[in-house]
Amino acid sequence: MSKVNFALIGYGGMGHWHIEKVSTLPDIHISGIYDIDPGRQEEARQKGYRAYASLEELLDDRKVQLVTLAVPNDLHMPIAIACMRAGKNVISEKPVADSADELQQMIDASQETGRLFTVHQNRRWDEDFLIMKKLYDENILGKVHCIESRVHGSRGVPGDWRNKKRHGGGMILDWGVHMLDQMLQLVPMDVVSVSCTVSHVTNDEVDDGFRAILTFENGLDALVEVGTSNFINLPRWYMLGQNGSAVIENWNLDGKIVMVSDWEKRDAVPVVTAAGLTKTMAPRTDETIKTYPLPRVESDVRDFYRNVLATMEGKENQLVTHPQMMRVMRLMEALMRSAESNETVHTRI
Amino acid sequence: MSKVNFALIGYGGMGHWHIEKVSTLPDIHISGIYDIDPGRQEEARQKGYRAYASLEELLDDRKVQLVTLAVPNDLHMPIAIACMRAGKNVISEKPVADSADELQQMIDASQETGRLFTVHQNRRWDEDFLIMKKLYDENILGKVHCIESRVHGSRGVPGDWRNKKRHGGGMILDWGVHMLDQMLQLVPMDVVSVSCTVSHVTNDEVDDGFRAILTFENGLDALVEVGTSNFINLPRWYMLGQNGSAVIENWNLDGKIVMVSDWEKRDAVPVVTAAGLTKTMAPRTDETIKTYPLPRVESDVRDFYRNVLATMEGKENQLVTHPQMMRVMRLMEALMRSAESNETVHTRI
């Protein structure tokens, strides 16, 4: 096949990341880059790329077939729709929109124009997520009743557009969009209720952290949490099944699985813990449990782009679909509604 | 002063614990033990204690001034009231009652008879709790916005009265009563809302775990969680303040404090984490944080009994007061109401 002509809009942190990734894909030709900032246009030129002087110039470039948007969140909708109307296929950075209404307009534009429209849910290729998905899919721990997914940092919300409400800032939209997408990919069931609280430790305008509890229809309880004032991190992933537990401590994939090997030897001898005695919380002896390393998984985030190219050719189905995008959006809206009202939101998502 | 004559009712696990503790207190004389089980009566006799043949025999023993109840939870109320009416001061094991109504009847009996009535909240003397209280009281971490208290085991609910609803079983009543009391002692504010889910992994009749989120009136968010199917434990305590975080991993008091030493050096260089780039979650460099050991605290759980004796003499105020007992009871009821309705309970406790 001939190469797909690709253009990037927004040459900031993630823009550089996209250029770096697509540069390594033999089926993509980088036609050029547009950024509103003249300094970044100059940087693109110095690196040997065509720098479009305006969005219109890029839209008028008939050769460009695929555009990635790595601009502040509030600009995704107008630019994505303009690109699709100009005949381009579109990958948007996340969160794709600030509301389900906006997202619907983008999906409508995709259907009207017949152009591909997807969102860069790159964290579906995170190895930590894929390990948890493997444990779940292969029923390694027995019936899973609880999954906890946390991302903790200690730098507050970065002092750029990310702390502005009008630019779609805040952690529900920023990290939540990935972690909720992962959770929905992990657990193939409807969410039936959502309870969420947000934090404003370093920032009043947008949430600088949140803790959401999703109840799935079989009762599985999922916690999704982001913190930006956490100087000590809790584990990235924690999963509880009927016969064992798994933990992934960090991005380095440190972690383990502990499985019960003898359920019968359950009746515990009470032990002293601090100023009290406990039978319930007596630690297990080694003879009734067994510890295993986490399974290994292979992952290449460029498979996201490979799938986009194959979808354009009609050879594969789009991996990050419109219904999935809408589901994550509706879930984020439910989180915000729950946090604002301090009520559990009963819904089916 | 002359020794206080003490009797124990219920010579099971906690009964033995009480005898062991009071045996070491010079101001207490053990008058005898009553247990419904003839085998335990025999055991008491063999250990040199008088074994009462019936509750009535104990109540009729005019010498007995102080009685500790270590019987299943549903028996606390009738026996405590009978003891007080017979002129005894009463320490009840926890949870003191199954409902606020029952507790009120016990408090009324105390006021009518003028007898001391308190509950064995021994875990106020847990060193892990006292360390967290010291950090909070001395404002070590700056303004605290989140406290998490977890107790994890993997043995399910023990197969005795603890898994029977009619005996006051379940983890909200069993461990919740301690952990909620600790949280209310730690944070000197009203709780304004409660959200709770319970688990039934190994037991349908009573909760075998719960996760409660308490919101205090200044917005401080407290998580209290018990799990009995957790083969890997999350930390016992986790506290987040504006300038640092603290963790206590386990009953051995492993843990640390991490404080920010330079807030200005916040602006992060984006880092690659799994299949993505992040600026928000870039780990801190060592130059902007400092790690400290946890402070040490001294604790002797027998101070609970010492306070009871001093209260009986009019020399001290009762440490575990009726309003505190009622507050924990109301909080447990709010947790159960929230879990049952799957709604946030708005209340002031």
Side-chain angles (χ1 to χ4, degrees), chain B residues 60-232:
Chain B
D60 288 343
D61 184 349
R62 307 277 306 250
K63 291 196 310 302
V64 172
Q65 299 157 280
L66 176 63
V67 175
T68 286
L69 310 184
V71 293
N73 300 333
D74 54 326
L75 299 176
H76 291 161
M77 183 180 73
I79 300 181
I81 292 176
C83 286
M84 286 187 271
R85 295 216 168 121
K88 322 298 188 201
N89 299 289
V90 172
I91 297 167
S92 172
E93 257 306 332
K94 41 55 54 175
V96 63
D98 290 353
S99 70
D101 281 352
E102 283 189 11
L103 176 56
Q104 191 58 52
Q105 293 181 53
M106 297 157 96
I107 291 171
D108 289 348
S110 170
Q111 284 168 351
E112 282 160 31
T113 60
R115 295 297 93 189
L116 176 148
F117 167 57
T118 191
V119 62
H120 188 230
Q121 277 292 9
N122 53 313
R123 292 196 177 273
R124 288 193 191 176
W125 283 267
D126 280 4
E127 288 175 13
D128 50 85
F129 160 67
L130 292 169
I131 289 169
M132 292 322 253
K133 185 156 172 52
K134 186 179 170 73
L135 294 181
Y136 187 94
D137 290 347
E138 297 180 6
N139 200 33
I140 303 290
L141 306 177
K143 190 186 174 193
V144 170
H145 53 92
C146 178
I147 305 176
E148 302 186 353
S149 167
R150 291 181 177 81
V151 170
H152 287 165
S154 63
R155 296 173 173 280
V157 178
D160 50 15
W161 57 267
R162 285 178 182 81
N163 67 18
K164 301 283 181 249
K165 208 175 188 103
R166 69 176 184 284
H167 290 315
M171 283 298 127
I172 290 179
L173 286 167
D174 190 0
W175 271 90
V177 70
H178 284 310
M179 295 164 75
L180 294 168
D181 180 69
Q182 287 180 337
M183 197 59 85
L184 293 179
Q185 291 297 306
L186 194 46
V187 183
M189 273 181 285
D190 281 2
V191 173
V192 295
S193 72
V194 171
S195 171
C196 180
T197 51
V198 296
S199 64
H200 292 278
V201 182
T202 57
N203 189 299
D204 286 331
E205 185 167 332
V206 297
D207 74 281
D208 60 12
F210 68 90
R211 185 199 287 123
I213 292 160
L214 319 180
T215 305
F216 285 87
E217 61 184 348
N218 78 340
L220 188 152
D221 161 289
L223 180 145
V224 176
E225 181 181 300
V226 171
T228 56
S229 294
N230 302 52
F231 296 89
I232 297 169

Side-chain angles (χ1 to χ4, degrees), chain B residues 236-304:
Chain B
R236 173 70 187 87
W237 289 96
Y238 183 63
M239 188 186 277
L240 302 176
Q242 219 146 11
N243 302 322
S245 307
V247 69
I248 301 180
E249 297 287 347
N250 49 36
W251 304 111
N252 295 335
L253 308 180
D254 297 321
K256 64 181 174 181
I257 298 169
V258 178
M259 301 280 296
V260 68
S261 54
D262 189 344
W263 256 118
E264 299 312 312
K265 289 190 188 151
R266 298 181 49 159
D267 208 32
V269 178
V271 296
V272 175
T273 49
L277 198 65
T278 182
K279 190 172 174 181
T280 314
M281 300 302 168
R284 281 186 172 272
T285 50
D286 285 348
E287 52 177 351
T288 65
I289 50 169
K290 215 168 159 185
T291 299
Y292 301 89
L294 294 168
R296 305 241 164 192
V297 295
E298 296 288 327
S299 173
D300 182 352
V301 66
R302 294 174 304 174
D303 286 345
F304 172 81

